[in-house]
Short mmCIF file of all heavy atoms in Angstrom, two decimals:
data_model
loop_
_atom_site.label_atom_id
_atom_site.label_comp_id
_atom_site.label_asym_id
_atom_site.label_seq_id
_atom_site.Cartn_x
_atom_site.Cartn_y
_atom_site.Cartn_z
N THR A 126 0.85 -13.80 52.61
CA THR A 126 1.47 -15.08 52.95
C THR A 126 0.60 -16.23 52.46
O THR A 126 1.10 -17.22 51.91
CB THR A 126 1.68 -15.18 54.47
OG1 THR A 126 2.52 -14.11 54.91
CG2 THR A 126 2.33 -16.51 54.84
N SER A 127 -0.72 -16.10 52.64
CA SER A 127 -1.65 -17.13 52.16
C SER A 127 -1.61 -17.23 50.64
O SER A 127 -1.61 -18.33 50.07
CB SER A 127 -3.07 -16.81 52.64
OG SER A 127 -4.00 -17.71 52.10
N GLU A 128 -1.58 -16.09 49.96
CA GLU A 128 -1.52 -16.09 48.50
C GLU A 128 -0.23 -16.74 48.00
O GLU A 128 -0.22 -17.46 46.99
CB GLU A 128 -1.63 -14.66 47.97
CG GLU A 128 -3.00 -14.04 48.13
CD GLU A 128 -4.02 -14.65 47.20
OE1 GLU A 128 -3.97 -14.37 45.99
OE2 GLU A 128 -4.87 -15.42 47.68
N ASN A 129 0.87 -16.50 48.70
CA ASN A 129 2.14 -17.10 48.29
C ASN A 129 2.13 -18.61 48.47
O ASN A 129 2.79 -19.34 47.72
CB ASN A 129 3.29 -16.48 49.10
CG ASN A 129 3.69 -15.11 48.59
OD1 ASN A 129 3.50 -14.80 47.41
ND2 ASN A 129 4.22 -14.28 49.46
N ARG A 130 1.39 -19.09 49.45
CA ARG A 130 1.28 -20.53 49.64
C ARG A 130 0.50 -21.18 48.49
O ARG A 130 0.80 -22.30 48.09
CB ARG A 130 0.56 -20.86 50.95
CG ARG A 130 1.36 -20.56 52.21
CD ARG A 130 0.74 -21.29 53.40
NE ARG A 130 1.23 -20.75 54.67
CZ ARG A 130 0.57 -19.90 55.43
NH1 ARG A 130 -0.63 -19.48 55.05
NH2 ARG A 130 1.07 -19.45 56.56
N SER A 131 -0.51 -20.47 47.99
CA SER A 131 -1.39 -21.05 46.98
C SER A 131 -0.89 -20.84 45.55
O SER A 131 -1.35 -21.52 44.63
CB SER A 131 -2.80 -20.47 47.11
OG SER A 131 -2.79 -19.07 46.90
N SER A 132 0.03 -19.92 45.35
CA SER A 132 0.53 -19.65 44.00
C SER A 132 1.98 -19.18 44.06
O SER A 132 2.33 -18.34 44.88
CB SER A 132 -0.32 -18.58 43.31
OG SER A 132 0.26 -18.22 42.06
N LYS A 133 2.79 -19.72 43.18
CA LYS A 133 4.20 -19.33 43.10
C LYS A 133 4.42 -18.15 42.16
O LYS A 133 5.55 -17.69 41.99
CB LYS A 133 5.04 -20.52 42.62
CG LYS A 133 4.99 -21.72 43.55
CD LYS A 133 5.46 -21.36 44.95
CE LYS A 133 5.45 -22.57 45.87
NZ LYS A 133 5.82 -22.19 47.28
N LEU A 134 3.35 -17.66 41.53
CA LEU A 134 3.49 -16.49 40.67
C LEU A 134 3.91 -15.28 41.49
O LEU A 134 3.58 -15.16 42.67
CB LEU A 134 2.17 -16.19 39.95
CG LEU A 134 1.63 -17.26 39.00
CD1 LEU A 134 0.35 -16.77 38.33
CD2 LEU A 134 2.66 -17.65 37.95
N ARG A 135 4.64 -14.37 40.88
CA ARG A 135 5.06 -13.16 41.57
C ARG A 135 3.85 -12.26 41.79
O ARG A 135 2.89 -12.28 41.02
CB ARG A 135 6.13 -12.44 40.76
CG ARG A 135 7.39 -13.29 40.62
CD ARG A 135 8.51 -12.51 39.97
NE ARG A 135 9.70 -13.33 39.87
CZ ARG A 135 10.89 -12.86 39.50
NH1 ARG A 135 11.03 -11.58 39.20
NH2 ARG A 135 11.93 -13.66 39.42
N LYS A 136 3.91 -11.44 42.83
CA LYS A 136 2.75 -10.65 43.25
C LYS A 136 3.01 -9.16 43.03
O LYS A 136 4.09 -8.65 43.34
CB LYS A 136 2.44 -10.90 44.73
CG LYS A 136 2.37 -12.38 45.13
CD LYS A 136 1.32 -13.14 44.36
CE LYS A 136 1.10 -14.55 44.91
NZ LYS A 136 2.27 -15.42 44.81
N VAL A 137 1.98 -8.47 42.52
CA VAL A 137 2.03 -7.02 42.30
C VAL A 137 0.79 -6.39 42.92
O VAL A 137 -0.33 -6.80 42.62
CB VAL A 137 2.10 -6.67 40.80
CG1 VAL A 137 2.12 -5.15 40.60
CG2 VAL A 137 3.31 -7.31 40.14
N LEU A 138 0.98 -5.41 43.78
CA LEU A 138 -0.13 -4.66 44.39
C LEU A 138 -0.20 -3.27 43.79
O LEU A 138 0.80 -2.55 43.77
CB LEU A 138 0.06 -4.57 45.91
CG LEU A 138 -0.94 -3.70 46.67
CD1 LEU A 138 -2.36 -4.27 46.55
CD2 LEU A 138 -0.54 -3.56 48.13
N ILE A 139 -1.37 -2.90 43.30
CA ILE A 139 -1.60 -1.57 42.72
C ILE A 139 -2.35 -0.71 43.73
O ILE A 139 -3.43 -1.09 44.20
CB ILE A 139 -2.42 -1.68 41.42
CG1 ILE A 139 -1.74 -2.60 40.41
CG2 ILE A 139 -2.65 -0.30 40.81
CD1 ILE A 139 -2.71 -3.27 39.47
N LEU A 140 -1.79 0.43 44.06
CA LEU A 140 -2.44 1.40 44.94
C LEU A 140 -2.72 2.66 44.12
O LEU A 140 -1.79 3.35 43.70
CB LEU A 140 -1.56 1.72 46.15
CG LEU A 140 -1.23 0.55 47.08
CD1 LEU A 140 -0.26 1.00 48.17
CD2 LEU A 140 -2.50 -0.02 47.70
N GLU A 141 -3.99 2.94 43.90
CA GLU A 141 -4.38 4.08 43.05
C GLU A 141 -4.60 5.33 43.89
O GLU A 141 -5.11 5.26 45.01
CB GLU A 141 -5.65 3.73 42.28
CG GLU A 141 -6.01 4.74 41.21
CD GLU A 141 -7.25 4.32 40.42
OE1 GLU A 141 -8.29 4.09 41.05
OE2 GLU A 141 -7.16 4.23 39.20
N ASP A 142 -4.21 6.49 43.32
CA ASP A 142 -4.36 7.79 44.02
C ASP A 142 -3.69 7.72 45.39
O ASP A 142 -4.31 7.95 46.43
CB ASP A 142 -5.83 8.17 44.16
CG ASP A 142 -6.50 8.35 42.81
OD1 ASP A 142 -5.81 8.70 41.83
OD2 ASP A 142 -7.72 8.13 42.71
N ALA A 143 -2.40 7.43 45.38
CA ALA A 143 -1.70 7.06 46.61
C ALA A 143 -1.01 8.21 47.32
O ALA A 143 -0.18 7.98 48.21
CB ALA A 143 -0.67 5.96 46.28
N GLU A 144 -1.33 9.45 46.97
CA GLU A 144 -0.67 10.58 47.61
C GLU A 144 -0.73 10.51 49.14
O GLU A 144 0.25 10.80 49.83
CB GLU A 144 -1.29 11.90 47.14
CG GLU A 144 -0.91 12.32 45.72
CD GLU A 144 -1.82 11.73 44.66
OE1 GLU A 144 -2.59 10.80 44.98
OE2 GLU A 144 -1.76 12.18 43.51
N SER A 145 -1.88 10.11 49.67
CA SER A 145 -2.09 10.18 51.12
C SER A 145 -1.17 9.24 51.89
O SER A 145 -0.89 9.49 53.07
CB SER A 145 -3.54 9.85 51.47
OG SER A 145 -3.86 8.52 51.07
N ILE A 146 -0.70 8.17 51.25
CA ILE A 146 0.18 7.25 51.97
C ILE A 146 1.62 7.36 51.51
O ILE A 146 2.47 6.59 51.98
CB ILE A 146 -0.30 5.79 51.83
CG1 ILE A 146 -0.32 5.37 50.36
CG2 ILE A 146 -1.65 5.59 52.47
CD1 ILE A 146 -0.59 3.89 50.17
N LEU A 147 1.90 8.30 50.62
CA LEU A 147 3.27 8.48 50.15
C LEU A 147 3.90 9.78 50.67
O LEU A 147 5.13 9.93 50.62
CB LEU A 147 3.32 8.49 48.62
CG LEU A 147 2.94 7.20 47.91
CD1 LEU A 147 2.93 7.42 46.40
CD2 LEU A 147 3.88 6.07 48.26
N HIS A 148 3.08 10.70 51.13
CA HIS A 148 3.60 11.98 51.61
C HIS A 148 4.51 11.79 52.82
O HIS A 148 4.47 10.76 53.49
CB HIS A 148 2.46 12.93 51.96
CG HIS A 148 1.81 13.52 50.76
ND1 HIS A 148 0.61 14.20 50.81
CD2 HIS A 148 2.18 13.54 49.45
CE1 HIS A 148 0.28 14.62 49.61
NE2 HIS A 148 1.21 14.23 48.76
N ARG A 149 5.32 12.78 53.08
CA ARG A 149 6.23 12.74 54.22
C ARG A 149 5.48 12.34 55.48
O ARG A 149 4.35 12.77 55.71
CB ARG A 149 6.89 14.12 54.43
CG ARG A 149 7.81 14.52 53.29
CD ARG A 149 8.33 15.92 53.49
NE ARG A 149 9.13 16.36 52.35
CZ ARG A 149 10.44 16.16 52.24
NH1 ARG A 149 11.09 15.54 53.23
NH2 ARG A 149 11.10 16.57 51.19
#
Side-chain angles (χ1 to χ4, degrees):
T126 301
S127 175
E128 289 289 287
N129 282 334
R130 289 197 196 101
S131 61
S132 173
K133 298 302 181 184
L134 297 182
R135 297 187 179 189
K136 311 301 189 296
V137 179
L138 174 64
I139 303 152
L140 298 176
E141 190 177 56
D142 298 332
E144 285 87 347
S145 62
I146 60 172
L147 295 175
H148 284 168
R149 294 175 185 272

